[in-house]
Amino acid sequence: MKFETRSFLLGSLCFFLSGGIQAQQPSSAVIQAQQQASSPRRFVETPNPLPYDLILAHGHVIDAKNHVDKVTDVAIKDGVIAKVGDDLNPKDAAKTVDVTGYYVTPGLIDIHMHMYATTGEKNSYAGDNSIWPDGFTLRNGVTTAVDAGSSGWRNFEDFKEHVIDRSHTRVLAMLNIVGAGMRPGLIEQNLDDMDGEATGTMALKYPGIIVGVKSAHFMGPEWKPYDQAVKAGNIANIPVMIDYGARRPERPLYDLLATHLRKGDIYTHAFSGHRGEQDPKTLKASDAMLIGRKRGIYFDAGTGGASFAWSVAIPLLQNGFPPDSLSTDLHITAMNSGTKDLLNVADKFLAMGQSIPTVIQEMTWNPAQEIRQTQLGNLSVGSPADIAVLSEEHGKFGFIDMNNTKLMGNTKLICQLTVRAGKIVYDLNGISMDMWNEPPSSDPSLSSHWTTFRLRTTRTANEPGH
C-alpha cells in the first residue's frame, strides 16, 4: 500500500496556505503540564537497564510528518519515541510485540468532542449530553481528545479538575466564547457573556491544555460571538473553531470565512450543508468554502449527530475539496448514530475514495498542526509515545449519515492496540500478552515500563482483584 504522494501534497498545500498563524513548538513546561494533566496511572517501577521499554516490530508505519510509509520497527523508552528503524533487536527491550500485518500510526487526535460529563445538568453539553473520554477514545486508538467548547472561562477549572486531570486520555480544551459554556436555552445565546478578554486570559493561564476558542450554535444575526472569539484567540495565540449555528442572511458564511476568521482558524461541520457549504447548482464547494481554503482556514469534518450528509460530502470530495481533519463531535447522540467513533468517520472517507494514508494523516499530523501541538501526531524521536496499531478489515459495511441514509464500503479500520505515554492501555485481541499456559516471554518485574495491565506474576497472593 504505497503512500499516495497526492495526499501529502494536499495536506502540505492546506498547511502552507495557513502561514498567517504560525504553529509553535510547545515548550517543555507545556508538554510537562499536558503529561501531568492526563496520563495513565503508574505503578512503582523496577529500573529498566535495557535501551528500550517496548518495541513494536514489523508493523506498517505511517507517519505523515516524517514521510514514513513502510514496514519497520518502533522503539519506546521512558514514555517517548526512542527509535524508528529496521530490525531492532528484541533483546534490547523489556517487551517486543510483533505487529506484523498491522498499521502503526501516531496516536489519533480527535479535535472535536464533548466531555464535560460531570455536572449533572440536563440537556447540556456542560453536563448530561457529554461523554466520559476514556470509554470512547483508547479503544479506538485516540490518545488525544479536544473538548470543543463544552466549558467557558467561568467553569473551565471545574472541567479540568473533574475530567482532564482524571483521564488516561490526553484531554485538551477549546474554551467556549460564552463564559458559562455550552449550556441549554438562552445561556448559550447570551451576548453579554461573550468576553474575548476574559476567555483569552483564562487560556493564557493554562497554555498547552487550552488549545483553542469555540463559538457554537449561535442563532442571532450579530457578529459578536465570532469577533470576540477571534479577540480571545489573538490574546492567547490559539486558533478559533466555529460551529456556525443558524444560517442567517445578516452574517453569510462567505463573510465569516473571507473577513472575520484568520488564517489557521477552523471551520467544523464542513460537510453538513446547513450553512452554505455547498453550491446549490453545481453541488461543489461554495464560493465561501473556496475563499476560506484560499485564505488558509482549516476545514474539519465534525460529523456529530446532524452534521454530515452524503449528498454534500461525496460531491465536495469528488471535486477536490477534502477535509483537513477528521473528527467526531462525539456526544450522547453521535455515539450511537451515524458517527459512532473516529475510526468509523475514517471508514466513511475510505468508502468515498480516500486512501488509508490520507485518512491517517487527517487524524494525526493534520489536527496536531491545527491545534498547534506539533509534538503530537507524529513518531519523531523524542515525541510522546502515543501510538495506534490498526488492522484493515474487508467485508460488506454500511455507513450512515445524518439523514439516516447509507453508503456501502468494503474496508474498516479496527484498533488492535493503543499505547499512551509509552504504555499499552488497550489490547483488543491480546497481541501483547502471553498464552495462559505458557511461561512469560518477558521479565515480569519490568512490565510496568510497557503496560498498564498487571501481569499474572506481578500480583501477590494477598492482593485483591478489581
Side-chain angles (χ1 to χ4, degrees), residues 113-118 121 123-133 136 147 150-151 159 163 182 330-333 335:
M113 292 180 65
H114 293 284
M115 297 170 281
Y116 191 5
T118 58
E121 185 171 54
N123 298 325
S124 174
Y125 291 94
D128 290 353
N129 289 355
S130 281
I131 53 95
W132 285 93
F136 296 86
D147 183 274
S150 303
S151 68
F159 172 55
V163 177
M182 195 176 291
L330 205 63
H331 47 73
I332 61 168
T333 301
M335 69 185 188

Side-chain angles (χ1 to χ4, degrees), residues 424-438:
I424 294 170
V425 293
Y426 177 76
D427 187 344
L428 178 63
N429 285 300
I431 60 175
S432 70
M433 300 176 187
D434 297 324
M435 293 297 294
W436 72 273
N437 58 351
E438 294 179 359

Side-chain angles (χ1 to χ4, degrees), residues 288-307:
M289 300 283 274
L290 296 175
I291 191 63
R293 178 147 283 174
K294 184 177 181 180
R295 294 186 61 234
I297 291 166
Y298 297 120
F299 292 90
D300 173 62
T303 56
S307 298

Side-chain angles (χ1 to χ4, degrees), residues 104-291:
V104 177
T105 80
L108 308 184
I109 302 170
D110 191 341
I111 62 168
H112 191 160
M113 292 180 65
H114 293 284
M115 297 170 281
Y116 191 5
T118 58
T119 69
E121 185 171 54
K122 188 177 181 180
N123 298 325
S124 174
Y125 291 94
D128 290 353
N129 289 355
S130 281
I131 53 95
W132 285 93
D134 290 345
F136 296 86
T137 50
L138 304 177
R139 63 179 50 242
N140 289 293
V142 175
T143 55
T144 299
V146 182
D147 183 274
S150 303
S151 68
W153 70 267
R154 297 183 188 276
N155 51 9
F156 168 75
E157 289 178 320
D158 180 75
F159 172 55
K160 180 178 182 296
E161 177 186 354
H162 291 103
V163 177
I164 293 177
D165 294 349
R166 304 184 190 190
S167 298
H168 285 209
T169 310
R170 177 189 291 101
V171 177
L172 309 177
M174 296 185 182
L175 285 187
N176 201 307
I177 192 56
V178 179
M182 195 176 291
R183 298 173 61 196
L186 296 178
I187 296 174
E188 197 173 35
Q189 307 300 316
N190 184 3
L191 289 167
D192 293 334
D193 198 26
M194 299 179 186
D195 188 332
E197 184 171 352
T199 302
T201 299
M202 179 59 75
L204 287 173
K205 187 176 178 180
Y206 295 99
I209 297 175
I210 297 175
V211 296
V213 182
K214 176 78 178 294
S215 174
H217 307 160
F218 184 62
M219 307 301 288
E222 295 87 354
W223 286 104
K224 182 176 181 179
Y226 318 107
D227 294 340
Q228 287 297 305
V230 168
K231 179 179 179 179
N234 286 333
I235 290 171
N237 191 29
I238 53 179
V240 168
M241 175 185 278
I242 301 297
D243 168 341
Y244 206 28
R247 186 173 184 175
R248 299 290 300 239
E250 302 93 337
R251 48 172 179 80
L253 181 63
Y254 187 94
D255 290 357
L256 175 77
L257 299 176
T259 61
H260 287 266
L261 296 186
R262 308 160 298 167
K263 294 180 181 180
D265 286 334
I266 305 163
Y267 183 80
T268 193
H269 305 321
F271 301 100
S272 71
H274 290 321
R275 305 163 190 94
E277 295 88 356
Q278 184 177 40
D279 185 294
K281 294 182 179 179
T282 66
L283 302 183
K284 299 179 181 179
S286 66
D287 289 343
M289 300 283 274
L290 296 175
I291 191 63

Side-chain angles (χ1 to χ4, degrees), residues 4 16 35 38-39 60 89 98 150 188 190 198 207 220 222 233 249 259 334 390 403 418 445 455 464:
E4 297 180 6
F16 285 141
Q35 296 288 4
S38 55
S39 62
H60 186 149
N89 189 346
D98 186 354
S150 303
E188 197 173 35
N190 184 3
E222 295 87 354
T259 61
L390 309 174
N403 299 313
T418 304
S445 71
L455 303 189

Side-chain angles (χ1 to χ4, degrees), residues 40 54 56 76 106-107 138 141-143 384-389 415 417-426 450:
L54 176 65
L56 300 176
I76 295 165
L138 304 177
V142 175
T143 55
D386 294 348
I387 296 174
V389 177
C415 180
L417 193 79
T418 304
V419 176
R420 167 77 176 95
K423 299 177 188 291
I424 294 170
V425 293
Y426 177 76
W450 58 269

